[in-house]
Amino acid sequence: MILSGADIVVRTLIEQGCEVVFGYPGGQIINVYDSLYKYQDELRHVLTAHEQGAAHAADGYARATGKPGVVFATSGPGATNLVTGIATAFLDSIPMIAITGNVMNAQIGTDSFQEIDITGITLPITKHNYFIGAIEQLADTIREAFRLAVSGRPGPVLIDIPKDIQQAKCDYEPQPPVTPDERFPAKDVRIEQAAECINKAERPFLYFGGGLLSSEAQDELLEMAERIDAPIGCSMMGLSGIPSGHPRFLGMQGMHGHYACSMAMHHADCIIALGVRFNDRVTGNRAKFAPNAKIVHIDVDGSELFKTVSATHGLRGDLRLTLQKLLPLLRQTRRPTWQDMVERFQTEEAGQRDLRDGLTPRNAMRALDAHLGENTPVVTDVGQHQMWAAQNLSFRRPRRFISSGGLGTMGFGLGAAIGAQMGTGEHTVLVIGDGGFGMCLNEMATAVSQRIPVVILVLNNGVLGMVRQWQTLFFDKHYSNTVLDRKTDFVRLAEAFGAKGEAVADLPGLDAAMGRAFAENGPYLIDCAISRDEFVLPMLPPGGSMDDIIVKVGD
Amino acid sequence: MNRYTVAVLVRNQFGVLNRVTSMFRRRQFNIDALTVSETESPDLSRITVLFDGEPSMKRQLVDQLYKLPDVCSIHELDAENTVSSELLLIKMENDPVTRSDIRAAAEAYEARTLDYTRDAIVMQITGESRRIDDFINLMRDYKILEICRTGVVSLERGSTTIRRDTRL
């Protein structure tokens, strides 16, 4: 059938299984919005307050569902406002399709009104991007974008569509949704070498990241842990990959990771790294990182295997398929000495626990934890609250901890929470600091208009806590520009947006407020006052090693 | 530090060179020379990359190239099995005092004279980069007005081609 380019965009999205698009209209994408009007019964569009919020919402949707999130924006500022959202998705390997309008082909390159080279700008932050020069390429390009976004290591893809392409007409035939590229296991010889290495190890440690979630290799990981009697840790991106309560699970590793987990990794003689990329926040000083360990690294992206930490055995392949071939080669073993050592680390960790009463960050997180359902998505922003949530909340299902890892994007939270809620249909929680909330609070308007059931827990300490923590520890308490000293009343702000909210000042008050918040069918803000002098601990100082770990801060 | 020659077949699409060089730039690969050329197929272009670095950097460069969807095939060429050539255009001042020395050197290197005017001589030589370096060094004794070289292109000896593992 003959359709306009704009109709082809919408029809192809529907054909590919897209149910919801987040976005913001404008002059150069107005034709696509006209098609959205036509197909509004088949494709839902969520109007956000800002394109950045739309990009984070698409990202949150993708993180919570595993399906690509789709975002629309107009040319120029609309497109550039997506940039932080696309980069956030890129750094965390999240599948996303960003579609931008642009000026007519004939005007491209002339610096027309709201013209910007968005394919140039997003080149280093997309898996791939496209500029549509002819309408005949349009439908197939969108299909290819879907395939690319979810194949191998997932990531964002951008398609820039000039206005004349949206207006032109072309034949369109619906096609079935694309299937991701076939997955493949690592080479047999590599798997055999890795098995030999693991079988020789005395203190193996299993370490997984976000790749475990993309590959859905949870069962294989747990089976391997049983077989070789190894403790398990994860990067922040791996959180929720396996149930937090699993007896072998030591929690998150890294700069603010669990002590026992970091110690076990440090003392391991074989680290089996699954779908991770050994970011500097994980390794600290690379020269002193896990000094005695051989590293078996499995990742679908071969460029990660020798990038920052050089693997002893690098296995390029799909995690699940590779583990399935690796498992039968591994000897069933018990390792009482190693387990005793790990238990000792856990006892030491328990001794460091912050057991103060009152509204401490840990107690606030524990109070929240009691309200979480099995399927509740917990979204965070970036900063101290993010680490407190990552350290203290428990997750039972994959894709239920949603947080900006690689890019560390403040202002990610509210948009992502909206997307995660829409993707799952679950009452969602957003844990956010007062600084980050200030960066995305405009999306309160979206949460209200879309009636998003989301509990917004603002850990309000009146400062930019994470930077302040560094200033305390490493900059002689020079609190340069981290004391907010704002007079914002978050409860009245929520009310001004049409949402409900309340402020809490103690732990019982927080618990009661959460009861009311979860009963509300819409956004509900809890302004939770905490002390500005709280620290995220333990802490491996940047560039430090386990010898430098800070577990307690004196006055 | 080693020198590597990597031949890359890419989809012949708008902006593909930019994608490749943008990746080199942002990951700070030290590229010595880079050429792009048409191939036997109109769908493909061939990029020849001359790269100086440690083996680990070379590995990372190849792994990162593989991730670009427009890259169809990558082949590392080892010097033993490769023929390489590049082309130099050089413009010399045409001074009566030095003219005969320049012409003698040009003859020894089998340089072709492409343009000859009262004030300048434009010459062309082709061959291995080393030979071109040597010729330029000789010419430094006289007044060089302008130099332009293409960068190296390479093919493997024998009937081997890099297309055998091409994916499109």
Side-chain angles (χ1 to χ4, degrees):
Chain A
M1 73 197 97
I2 302 295
L3 293 179
S4 72
D7 284 348
I8 291 175
V9 171
V10 174
R11 290 289 296 262
T12 313
L13 289 177
I14 296 168
E15 155 206 303
Q16 293 301 316
C18 173
E19 290 162 345
V20 58
V21 175
F22 303 89
Y24 205 99
Q28 305 306 331
I29 198 164
I30 194 166
N31 298 80
V32 173
Y33 274 78
D34 192 51
S35 298
L36 280 174
Y37 185 81
K38 195 191 300 183
Y39 294 107
Q40 56 186 294
D41 295 337
E42 290 171 77
L43 183 60
R44 180 172 176 192
H45 178 272
V46 174
L47 175 67
T48 56
H50 188 283
E51 288 91 348
Q52 183 179 344
H56 291 322
D59 180 329
Y61 176 92
R63 287 178 201 247
T65 62
K67 296 197 291 184
V70 182
V71 57
F72 283 173
T74 191
S75 64
T80 55
N81 281 342
L82 295 180
V83 167
T84 301
I86 295 172
T88 304
F90 183 69
L91 267 287
D92 288 342
S93 308
I94 305 302
M96 182 194 282
I97 311 284
I99 294 180
T100 50
N102 210 333
V103 300
M104 304 194 325
N105 261 300
Q107 289 174 358
I108 292 281
T110 64
D111 306 318
S112 328
F113 177 65
Q114 292 192 332
E115 180 197 346
I116 203 76
D117 171 21
I118 195 63
T119 47
I121 288 172
T122 58
L123 199 60
I125 55 164
T126 49
K127 206 171 160 185
H128 198 52
N129 62 26
Y130 301 90
F131 177 83
I132 307 291
I135 188 169
E136 291 75 20
Q137 308 161 350
L138 183 56
D140 280 345
T141 302
I142 296 172
R143 290 168 187 140
E144 186 174 294
F146 269 86
R147 182 180 61 76
L148 268 183
V150 296
S151 293
R153 178 179 181 171
V157 180
L158 179 135
I159 308 168
D160 195 25
I161 311 175
K163 192 180 170 86
D164 56 314
I165 302 285
Q166 298 167 37
Q167 292 166 330
K169 290 199 161 29
C170 176
D171 188 38
Y172 165 82
E173 291 304 328
Q175 285 191 15
V178 293
T179 46
D181 291 349
E182 198 185 340
R183 298 177 178 208
F184 56 89
K187 285 188 184 142
D188 286 345
V189 51
R190 297 257 182 273
I191 292 175
E192 283 155 23
Q193 289 164 347
E196 199 187 324
C197 178
I198 297 168
N199 283 334
K200 276 186 189 155
E202 290 174 9
R203 299 182 305 280
F205 178 79
L206 281 161
Y207 172 58
F208 70 91
L212 185 91
L213 290 123
S214 326
S215 174
E216 297 178 330
Q218 286 85 354
D219 294 347
E220 288 76 7
L221 167 83
L222 294 177
E223 194 185 330
M224 182 161 171
E226 288 308 320
R227 190 173 271 262
I228 64 170
D229 199 17
I232 308 173
C234 69
S235 70
M236 195 195 79
M237 288 308 297
L239 277 178
S240 84
I242 64 169
S244 304
H246 192 282
R248 292 187 177 278
F249 187 53
L250 302 179
M252 173 178 85
Q253 197 273 349
M255 182 177 273
H256 295 297
H258 285 265
Y259 175 84
C261 185
S262 297
M263 286 297 275
M265 195 159 179
H266 185 71
H267 287 93
D269 66 350
C270 178
I271 294 171
I272 302 139
L274 311 170
V276 295
R277 56 189 183 83
F278 289 112
N279 176 268
D280 55 283
R281 285 294 188 266
V282 162
T283 61
N285 182 345
R286 287 194 176 111
K288 293 184 180 171
F289 171 71
N292 304 312
K294 294 202 158 78
I295 294 175
V296 173
H297 191 174
I298 311 177
D299 202 286
V300 72
D301 178 356
S303 73
E304 292 298 347
L305 302 176
F306 307 95
K307 189 176 78 179
T308 60
V309 169
S310 203
T312 321
H313 298 285
L315 285 72
R316 183 168 78 96
D318 176 72
L319 214 51
R320 181 152 52 107
L321 298 183
T322 305
L323 288 180
Q324 282 169 358
K325 295 188 93 170
L326 179 61
L327 273 168
L329 306 181
L330 299 177
R331 240 196 343 264
Q332 183 97 31
T333 327
R334 293 297 102 186
R335 307 177 193 275
T337 325
W338 177 221
Q339 290 304 342
D340 284 352
M341 205 165 157
V342 171
E343 259 170 54
R344 205 171 69 236
F345 298 146
Q346 286 175 297
T347 313
E348 284 169 16
E349 178 177 317
Q352 299 157 4
R353 213 160 271 161
D354 172 9
L355 297 173
R356 290 171 299 157
D357 293 329
L359 195 44
T360 62
R362 178 165 182 266
N363 290 341
M365 288 301 107
R366 285 163 65 84
L368 168 61
D369 200 52
H371 287 268
L372 298 181
E374 188 175 344
N375 270 316
T376 309
V378 177
V379 181
T380 78
D381 207 71
V382 167
Q384 285 186 311
H385 71 275
Q386 176 189 30
M387 292 299 116
W388 288 321
Q391 291 174 337
N392 294 298
L393 297 178
S394 48
F395 306 98
R396 280 163 273 182
R397 289 286 184 84
R399 303 189 174 279
R400 290 301 176 262
F401 179 72
I402 291 165
S403 193
S404 165
L407 196 67
T409 307
M410 276 177 78
F412 168 80
L414 191 47
I418 292 168
Q421 196 286 323
M422 295 190 65
T424 59
E426 298 285 334
H427 208 125
T428 298
V429 173
L430 168 63
V431 185
I432 191 165
D434 49 321
F437 189 63
M439 287 194 183
C440 60
L441 58 83
N442 51 358
E443 297 305 341
M444 282 296 282
T446 314
V448 168
S449 61
Q450 300 292 327
R451 289 213 205 162
I452 302 291
V454 55
V455 179
I456 301 165
L457 177 61
V458 182
L459 292 186
N460 188 352
N461 57 5
V463 294
L464 301 175
M466 188 60 97
V467 181
R468 183 186 156 96
Q469 173 167 342
W470 284 46
Q471 289 171 334
T472 305
L473 294 173
F474 314 122
F475 290 88
D476 297 327
K477 301 189 181 180
H478 297 163
Y479 295 125
S480 173
N481 292 282
T482 48
V483 182
L484 293 174
D485 198 22
R486 291 173 181 160
K487 305 296 176 220
T488 316
D489 181 332
F490 287 124
V491 174
R492 284 172 64 194
L493 181 88
E495 286 165 0
F497 274 109
K500 289 189 182 163
E502 63 180 292
V504 298
D506 54 34
L507 209 49
L510 174 61
D511 185 58
M514 272 196 257
R516 288 185 285 274
F518 276 99
E520 177 70 23
N521 186 27
Y524 194 104
L525 184 145
I526 301 171
D527 180 359
C528 177
I530 59 164
S531 160
R532 61 180 54 187
D533 294 318
E534 295 288 350
F535 283 88
V536 180
L537 294 173
M539 179 176 195
L540 282 168
S545 72
M546 278 308 285
D547 305 331
D548 312 310
I549 192 166
I550 304 169
V551 293
K552 204 177 171 75
V553 176
D555 317 285
Chain B
M1 223 42 161
N2 300 319
R3 166 153 290 200
Y4 299 97
T5 307
V6 180
V8 189
L9 281 186
V10 296
R11 290 202 279 194
N12 184 12
Q13 288 198 351
F14 189 74
V16 64
L17 176 63
N18 189 20
R19 290 180 195 281
V20 171
T21 54
S22 162
M23 188 277 285
F24 289 159
R25 178 194 56 80
R26 86 184 171 95
R27 295 197 184 268
Q28 302 202 331
F29 290 117
N30 182 18
I31 303 302
D32 212 58
L34 187 144
T35 59
V36 192
S37 44
E38 290 180 8
T39 64
E40 65 284 0
S41 155
D43 299 330
L44 296 170
S45 298
R46 184 178 177 117
I47 298 179
T48 309
V49 183
L50 218 67
F51 166 73
D52 286 332
E54 301 302 324
S56 60
M57 285 297 277
K58 189 264 301 175
R59 178 173 211 158
Q60 185 63 206
L61 177 138
V62 170
D63 284 343
Q64 293 294 346
L65 274 173
Y66 261 117
K67 287 163 69 174
L68 300 176
D70 283 339
V71 168
C72 305
S73 179
I74 303 172
H75 204 68
E76 193 194 329
L77 305 174
D78 78 285
E80 296 272 294
N81 267 320
T82 306
V83 288
S84 297
S85 188
E86 69 169 306
L87 182 145
L88 165 79
L89 294 179
I90 185 166
K91 185 184 285 183
M92 303 298 299
E93 186 183 54
N94 193 356
D95 179 335
V97 181
T98 58
R99 183 182 297 153
S100 56
D101 290 346
I102 290 173
R103 300 209 66 166
E107 199 174 323
Y109 274 80
E110 294 172 331
R112 279 180 60 203
T113 302
L114 299 183
D115 187 50
Y116 192 98
T117 59
R118 193 168 297 117
D119 304 319
I121 311 170
V122 179
M123 291 173 292
Q124 164 193 314
I125 68 168
T126 55
E128 302 230 346
S129 303
R130 169 86 192 277
R131 192 175 118 84
I132 289 176
D133 293 342
D134 291 347
F135 185 67
I136 292 172
N137 270 335
L138 262 181
M139 289 298 110
R140 288 195 199 284
D141 292 346
Y142 319 109
K143 189 164 184 202
I144 299 173
L145 297 176
E146 232 175 357
I147 278 178
C148 184
R149 55 198 288 186
T150 58
V152 69
V153 290
S154 305
L155 284 179
E156 277 180 295
R157 294 178 189 277
S159 60
T160 340
T161 68
I162 76 168
R163 287 200 64 186
R164 59 174 182 264
D165 52 345
T166 299
R167 58 185 165 92
L168 256 179

